[in-house]
Amino acid sequence: MAAITDLFSLPEPSPDGHDSDADHPHGARVSGHADLSTRPDFEQLLLALCRQADGDVHLDFAELDFIDISGVITVVRAAGSLGEGRFLVLHNPPPSMRRILELLGPAAVARSVRIDEEVS
């Protein structure tokens, strides 16, 4: 089952250019499997995380073992719940996830999902 294993805060840039700690989690690490059998629980976890965030939500997929198209669609749907101008930022998405996002196309993804290209 896909699980959110760890919530973390990302530093928010302050007006003077220095990072400051946020009072709420801005992201989570995802591990396990995200597929059709785990979709209801995975979706519930993602939607709860998106509801709690004030800004962008960051997901780290470095510990994810497997994701299928239903898992990727769940991520895209959760991103759509964030509202205008907010994004679900994907860190370390597996190659299969990147490929599925490419196949879904920009109309389904670009308005709400960003991939962090920085190697971690």
Side-chain angles (χ1 to χ4, degrees):
M1 172 175 152
I4 293 177
T5 59
D6 185 24
L7 297 177
F8 59 86
S9 293
L10 296 171
E12 294 271 342
S14 63
D16 63 3
H18 294 90
D19 290 342
S20 63
D21 289 333
D23 294 332
H24 58 280
H26 283 276
R29 289 176 181 84
V30 181
S31 66
H33 297 288
D35 57 24
L36 189 58
S37 67
T38 63
R39 184 176 183 166
D41 292 332
F42 185 46
E43 187 167 31
Q44 186 176 26
L45 290 169
L46 289 178
L47 290 174
L49 183 64
C50 290
R51 279 192 297 269
Q52 294 171 6
D54 292 329
D56 293 344
V57 175
H58 294 255
L59 295 176
D60 184 352
F61 289 95
E63 297 177 16
L64 187 71
D65 297 324
F66 175 79
I67 190 164
D68 68 2
I69 192 165
S70 68
V72 176
I73 289 171
T74 300
V75 169
V76 172
R77 292 175 93 190
S81 75
L82 288 170
E84 190 71 31
R86 294 173 58 206
F87 297 93
L88 196 56
V89 182
L90 312 180
H91 300 267
N92 305 304
S96 61
M97 184 177 200
R98 288 174 179 268
R99 181 67 180 135
I100 293 168
L101 289 168
E102 287 173 14
L103 292 172
L104 290 175
V109 180
R111 284 176 277 151
S112 55
V113 175
R114 296 283 186 258
I115 295 177
D116 179 26
E117 298 296 342
E118 188 173 309
V119 178
S120 55

